[in-house]
Amino acid sequence: MITSPVLAPDPQRGLVGVGNQTYFEVLNMNNKSKIAVIEIIELFRGRLEGERLNDCRSDAEHGEWGMAFENLCTQLEEFDVLPNEHEYQAIRTAGESMEIDPQNWNFLAPNKN
């Protein structure tokens, strides 16, 4: 049986990892994170330079969705691309589900004047 530092064998459930999830539950969660990050990246196509978005998307497609997410948030701030409420909620939901420190994305919250 193949194991990794985050997965351990369980005689009844196979490989289990963080939060006592099975290997397939972890894969499914990771796939959902990847899809969510790619969808968020695409929300900003036309508002942020294509090459920057392509770099973020490439990171996400290669399993680096957390890095892609954080880089996207940094790029949005750096180039003054302000998310609307819908876009911010997508960012917030993804950030929370991936357990990324809110300091990496909460600065993008739309001003409610």
Side-chain angles (χ1 to χ4, degrees):
M1 181 176 287
I2 300 171
T3 62
S4 75
V6 295
L7 297 172
D10 179 285
Q12 308 218 326
R13 298 178 62 211
L15 291 177
V16 293
V18 179
N20 202 30
Q21 296 170 317
T22 68
Y23 174 72
F24 294 106
E25 289 168 336
V26 171
L27 276 180
N28 187 40
M29 180 182 71
N30 291 343
N31 195 41
K32 286 180 182 179
S33 296
K34 174 180 166 181
I35 291 167
V37 170
I38 290 171
E39 288 175 349
I40 292 168
I41 290 166
E42 293 306 317
L43 290 174
F44 296 97
R45 187 122 353 239
R47 294 172 46 207
L48 189 63
E49 185 181 312
E51 186 174 334
R52 295 180 191 286
L53 291 174
N54 292 342
D55 289 345
C56 290
R57 184 176 177 128
S58 178
D59 289 341
E61 289 173 344
H62 289 95
E64 298 291 344
W65 45 87
M67 183 172 69
F69 178 84
E70 290 177 0
N71 287 342
L72 174 66
C73 292
T74 299
Q75 296 292 320
L76 292 172
E77 180 185 39
E78 185 175 323
F79 291 97
D80 296 320
V81 177
L82 303 174
N84 62 35
E85 186 64 35
H86 168 76
E87 293 163 337
Y88 177 72
Q89 287 306 319
I91 289 168
R92 179 180 175 178
T93 299
E96 288 174 349
S97 72
M98 292 187 293
E99 299 181 356
I100 292 177
D101 185 341
Q103 291 183 351
N104 291 313
W105 49 265
N106 66 3
F107 53 84
L108 296 171
N111 291 334
K112 294 187 179 185
N113 295 337

